[in-house]
Amino acid sequence: MSITPSSDKIARYELFRVTPRWLFLRIKTANGVVGWGEPVVEGYAESVESAVHVMMESLMGKDPARIHYHWQTIAKGDFYGGLGPVMMSALAGIDQALWDIKGKTLGASVVDLLGGAVRDRQMVYGHVAADFEPDDVAAAIAKQRCDDYGFKLIKLCGSPPMGYTDMQGSIEAGAARVAEVRKAVGPDIQIAVDFHGRCKLPMVRKLIRALEPYDIAFFEEVVHPDFNDAMPDLANWTEVPLATGERMFHYAEFYDLLRKPGVSIIQPDLSHAGGITHCLDIARLAEHRDVALAPHCPLGPIALAACLAVDFVCLNAEYQESGIGLTYTAEDGGRGVLDYVLNADDFKLDDDGMMPPLPGPGLGVQMNEEVIREVAADAHKWRGPIEPLPDGSPTRW
Ligand SMILES: [Mg+2]
């Protein structure tokens, strides 16, 4: 028996570096089917761009329908494979675009291709921003996001940059910020707090204790993933669920994390961890360990659509992060998730803060190519901020 190839071939591709800090990939087939992906590591968009060029060399003229074959060939057919953030993000964007093409070719949504939805609606949440801004600003933004977009869960950063001990009142500042947000949104909105991996291990317990009184849905990245071996101990110490995973790129890392109880929610990023193909494996692994899924997504509309496709076929998909409504600065171009799509109405939340599946085919995101081309003509060179501690030493932002 031989494999019957589809009649189509991967014919060309284009990359668009668009504000605020994203990279879009457009793959077109010989039959004229267009698929979109979002391969990016924020701050290293140009590096991911280079990796996409190398990977696409081997895909030109190939059958776009053989997604698993292409994924495995890129990830495992090469000596170094695709284990690190740059390569796994490049592969993620290609994978998303190929799923989009497959759906459009067959006239089906990616959700249907993956077996169909296990739920009618998906809980989607917004966030305030990773930066640590004055309390009154965070509280006002949180309230505005919930009012304007219908979020029933809002996430904010609760950890200012901090040393190994708190010499500058950071714990109090974090608690004050969360208290202000709780006061602003009221008791009916869920609040999640991101430590952004910037709190060092000696201070984690103290910060958790300071924030617990504000009815927290989950704590995110209480430690940087380098210190994930501390998670079981930390989980024994608080009743608030612990979440992590946005800076983990491969199944093996999640396997290692989930071997011991501790983390309650994993947050793989569909644009960093090998795309739909690999994140589905990671999501199923978590499901079999009774761990929830909440894909990380402060990125653009293609990444969000890919996340939703996985969410709708995963029983454990509890929450979906969304950058909808995030305010980027004028310096960034001020554009957000919905500025790049033609079907913004499909991304609206209902009265319970949930979204139905995006209407297909493919990923269900209709890209506004005119805007994309216009913005990409002045390609960004976004870099993460450097925020030293008061003594001048570097720390994670
Ligand atoms: Mg985070």
Side-chain angles (χ1 to χ4, degrees):
M1 195 181 107
S2 63
I3 296 167
T4 308
S6 74
S7 60
D8 213 354
K9 288 180 170 40
I10 295 171
R12 62 179 302 219
Y13 71 97
E14 291 174 272
L15 285 157
F16 304 95
R17 229 185 298 147
V18 295
T19 52
R21 57 194 71 160
W22 304 334
L23 179 67
F24 295 165
L25 167 66
R26 178 186 189 271
I27 297 180
K28 190 173 183 183
T29 71
N31 289 346
V33 182
V34 170
W36 289 88
E38 204 170 323
V40 73
V41 174
E42 303 94 306
Y44 287 87
E46 298 98 315
S47 306
V48 180
E49 216 173 290
S50 296
V52 171
H53 287 311
V54 173
M55 291 176 186
M56 287 303 296
E57 272 177 23
S58 65
L59 294 180
M60 299 308 290
K62 298 284 172 59
D63 180 355
R66 295 183 66 188
I67 301 171
H68 288 301
Y69 174 79
H70 298 317
W71 198 99
Q72 298 290 1
T73 302
I74 291 170
K76 297 177 186 169
D78 182 56
F79 182 77
Y80 286 105
L83 296 179
V86 170
M87 291 164 81
M88 285 300 266
S89 299
L91 182 52
I94 293 170
D95 179 81
Q96 293 165 6
L98 294 182
W99 278 106
D100 196 25
I101 287 171
K102 197 176 188 79
K104 287 170 177 168
T105 301
L106 298 174
S109 70
V110 174
V111 171
D112 280 338
L113 295 179
L114 296 175
V118 293
R119 66 177 60 78
D120 301 326
R121 304 180 295 163
Q122 176 64 46
M123 173 84 168
V124 175
Y125 73 89
H127 69 83
V128 171
D131 304 330
F132 199 92
E133 297 179 36
D135 298 343
D136 56 337
V137 176
I141 292 173
K143 177 84 167 72
Q144 175 255 322
R145 295 267 199 281
C146 295
D147 289 350
D148 291 358
Y149 298 98
F151 295 123
K152 299 299 181 192
L153 167 65
I154 195 88
K155 187 170 79 186
L156 70 148
C157 185
S159 174
M162 207 184 312
Y164 289 88
T165 61
D166 178 20
M167 296 190 295
Q168 65 213 61
S170 295
I171 302 279
E172 288 75 10
R177 187 181 211 221
V178 174
E180 286 295 321
V181 170
R182 171 53 75 204
K183 196 169 136 195
V185 300
D188 297 331
I189 298 290
Q190 294 190 77
I191 295 176
V193 178
D194 191 351
F195 285 24
H196 225 237
R198 58 166 69 124
C199 183
K200 293 179 174 61
L201 197 50
M203 282 294 101
V204 169
R205 288 175 174 80
K206 195 170 179 185
L207 185 55
I208 286 176
R209 277 288 182 265
L211 302 183
E212 277 174 332
Y214 302 104
D215 190 16
I216 306 302
F218 60 87
F219 287 127
E220 175 173 316
E221 280 198 323
V222 292
V223 288
H224 186 274
D226 287 352
F227 310 107
N228 273 352
D229 59 349
M231 283 293 195
D233 279 349
L234 292 169
N236 275 335
W237 196 80
T238 178
E239 288 168 10
V240 177
L242 301 183
T244 194
E246 69 183 77
R247 282 179 275 194
M248 295 166 64
F249 309 100
H250 197 271
Y251 186 95
E253 293 169 84
F254 286 93
Y255 178 78
D256 196 43
L257 176 72
L258 296 176
R259 284 164 70 190
K260 289 184 186 168
V263 169
S264 297
I265 303 169
I266 57 153
Q267 303 171 302
D269 186 308
L270 269 284
S271 281
H272 296 338
I276 292 168
T277 298
H278 200 54
C279 286
L280 197 54
D281 287 345
I282 292 166
R284 297 275 188 246
L285 168 72
E287 185 197 328
H288 295 301
R289 297 293 293 160
D290 219 7
V291 166
L293 172 72
H296 178 248
C297 191
L299 298 174
I302 313 159
L304 179 56
C307 288
L308 288 164
V310 168
D311 293 333
F312 274 105
V313 300
C314 288
L315 194 64
N316 52 338
E318 188 81 350
Y319 303 113
Q320 177 56 57
E321 181 175 24
S322 149
I324 291 174
L326 258 183
T327 309
Y328 294 99
T329 63
E331 202 176 87
D332 280 328
R335 292 187 194 276
V337 176
L338 300 181
D339 293 316
Y340 292 107
V341 301
L342 297 168
N343 60 328
D345 282 353
D346 291 337
F347 290 83
K348 279 193 177 146
L349 305 191
D350 65 18
D351 291 344
D352 299 317
M354 299 191 194
M355 262 182 70
L358 291 170
L363 289 171
V365 60
Q366 296 166 29
M367 302 306 290
N368 188 335
E369 288 197 31
E370 199 182 323
V371 169
I372 291 167
R373 288 180 192 282
E374 182 192 317
V375 175
D378 183 21
H380 72 82
K381 287 190 177 179
W382 186 83
R383 301 288 180 261
I386 305 292
E387 291 178 359
L389 293 171
D391 65 4
S393 61
T395 190
R396 291 190 179 93
W397 66 282

